[in-house]
Each structure stands twice: as structure tokens, then as C-alpha cells.
Amino acid sequence: MNKKVLAIFFFLIAAGLFANYYILNYYIQPGDTLYLISKEFNVSPSVILDWNDIDPYHLKVGQSIKIPQPNGIIYEVKQGDTLYDISLRFFTTVDAIKKANNLLSNFIYVGQKLFIPIDYVGVAFNVYDKSFIWPVYGKISSTYGWRVHPIYHRKSFHTGIDIAAPEGTPIFSATNGVVTHAGEYGGYGLAVIVKYGNYEIVYGHMSKVSVYKGQTIKKGELLGRVGSTGISTGPHLHFEVRINGKHTNPVAFLPSYGRMYVLKDQGLYLGGE
């Protein structure tokens, strides 16, 4: 791949005048794969997929894709957002977001695009007391077990937990593993399934999938964005844990809800909701 660097054509779409990042426009070359491109530019495949609407299995020669430098994720500010809210969704800090975007105050506006470097994401993942981490920051809107279905209005068994969060909130892998499904999945809508030992972890109702089948995933890596696809009443993540094919209560594997966000600061673990 290194010999092809001279054949790369790119231009700056966004320069460091506005933030500490820029975007390369890269044109797909013969023999390219998403994995090879990610290695060449030191950007994870998940980030490339998050930035682009492309089929990871069928890249087209000459096709243009955006590649952020450094490795990072964009978030578009929505009505009611604050920097603190956004920092929680990325499991990071307000100061980190301000630094990455050259912000001199906490003022943000609807439609503003904020860049969050991957190096800043996850500084508040709770990795201290369980093997799983919370995949998204939000409110539990439906627990595991029997309930009256919110759409069909009849008693049914809920095979996971629902975590309500604004559309576009990033979803991070709760574990290491390998992606065995990425795309439409019946009533789950857009979904990702990650195989982790005897576990299968299901992430449902996504607005965007940012991984591909066969991809090796690390705990805390971006999987996609919260949405309301499939059979859903509003933006949320359906999070399901299966052991040897049988669903079980995901809460048993996650840190306590009050420790969803735990910021490591000078050796102190600060929990909060």
C-alpha cells in the first residue's frame, strides 16, 4: 500500500483554522480494502464508515471518501444540547471537547459540528469493576423481562434493555469481539451483533452502522449511532446479551447504572448519572 501513496489525490475540506483537525478526500485505488486504507491513514475502519455512506464490501475504484486526521468522530449539535451533555455521550470531558475544537467558551449552537478525537473518547468508560462497559450514555427506558409491548399493547418478553438517548449518540462496543452481523435485522432495524467468547451481544435500532461483518472490535470502539429503525417508538439502543444463543439479563454484566460514567481523575473514580 505504501507504494501507492504517490497516487493519492486529496484536498482539504476542513482546515485547522476552525479546529485541530482536517479532512482528506481520498480516491479509492485498485486493490484497496477498508482495512488497508485504515492502516495507511491510522484511522479505524469504524471511523471511516461513520464519516462515509459506503458499502465496505464493495469499494469502487475512483470513489471519493472522507478521512479525518487525526482519528476522530463528528457530532452535530442539536436543540437543547450542552457541552456537558455531549461530553457524557462520548464518555469524555468538556475541556477535551473545547480543546479539540478551539472553543474559548461553553457556547455552542444548533447545527455546529464538533470534532471529538478518538484519543479523547472513553476517558470516562467504567472499566474498573466489570468486564463489560456501558455501550451508550442514556436513560434505561425499558428493562429486561415481561412487559406490555409499547407498540402491540400486549404482554411480551423483552430480551434486552433499552437505553434511550438522542438520535446520533455514539454507540461503543461493550466488549472485545468479532462482528458477525452488521445491517438490517428484522424488528431490530439496523443492528450489530458482536461475538465475544460464548457471548453474542446485540445492538439494535441504530440510525447508522459503522462496522462490517468480520471486523475485529475492541472494547470501547465505535459501532454506530443511536436511532429508531425497525420496530421502535423513539431513539434508543436495544442492548441484548446472549449466552450460547440464549438471552439473559444484560444488567448482570454491566457496571451499576449509577456508574455508567466514571471519570478517572488523579486516581479518583467519580461516578454519576
Side-chain angles (χ1 to χ4, degrees), residues 30-49:
D32 273 344
T33 65
L34 188 60
Y35 175 76
L36 290 176
I37 295 170
S38 73
K39 297 294 286 185
E40 182 69 33
F41 291 98
N42 195 31
V43 174
S44 75
S46 298
V47 166
I48 295 175
L49 288 174

Side-chain angles (χ1 to χ4, degrees), residues 69-169:
Q69 297 288 299
N71 197 12
I73 308 170
I74 281 287
Y75 180 81
E76 185 171 335
V77 177
K78 298 176 178 59
Q79 187 70 41
D81 277 344
T82 67
L83 276 181
Y84 179 65
D85 295 333
I86 296 168
S87 72
L88 293 176
R89 292 173 201 152
F90 283 87
F91 295 91
T92 188
T93 66
V94 169
D95 286 345
I97 296 176
K98 289 172 70 175
K99 179 180 178 182
N101 294 274
N102 291 337
L103 299 179
L104 301 179
S105 73
N106 287 358
F107 174 78
I108 53 175
Y109 56 88
V110 174
Q112 183 177 4
K113 293 184 178 180
L114 299 174
F115 182 77
I116 294 87
I118 289 296
D119 287 347
Y120 293 167
V121 172
V123 297
F125 282 141
N126 189 334
V127 296
Y128 309 110
D129 58 0
K130 290 291 181 74
S131 58
F132 283 51
I133 61 173
W134 284 91
V136 67
Y137 186 89
K139 297 291 184 181
I140 296 178
S141 57
S142 186
T143 56
Y144 175 83
W146 288 100
R147 66 174 184 176
V148 175
H149 196 282
I151 294 177
Y152 299 128
H153 305 294
R154 62 174 181 262
K155 197 172 183 180
S156 63
F157 197 92
H158 191 221
T159 56
I161 60 172
D162 291 342
I163 308 171
E167 184 150 348
T169 297

Side-chain angles (χ1 to χ4, degrees), residues 7-66:
I8 297 173
F9 297 95
F10 63 86
F11 60 89
L12 298 182
I13 296 177
L17 293 174
F18 302 102
N20 297 323
Y21 76 98
Y22 57 91
I23 304 169
L24 301 178
N25 207 35
Y26 175 72
Y27 294 88
I28 302 297
Q29 303 294 304
D32 273 344
T33 65
L34 188 60
Y35 175 76
L36 290 176
I37 295 170
S38 73
K39 297 294 286 185
E40 182 69 33
F41 291 98
N42 195 31
V43 174
S44 75
S46 298
V47 166
I48 295 175
L49 288 174
D50 190 62
W51 278 82
N52 298 277
D53 291 319
I54 56 175
D55 182 345
Y57 312 107
H58 300 98
L59 299 181
K60 299 177 181 178
V61 174
Q63 183 178 19
S64 173
I65 61 173
K66 298 174 183 177

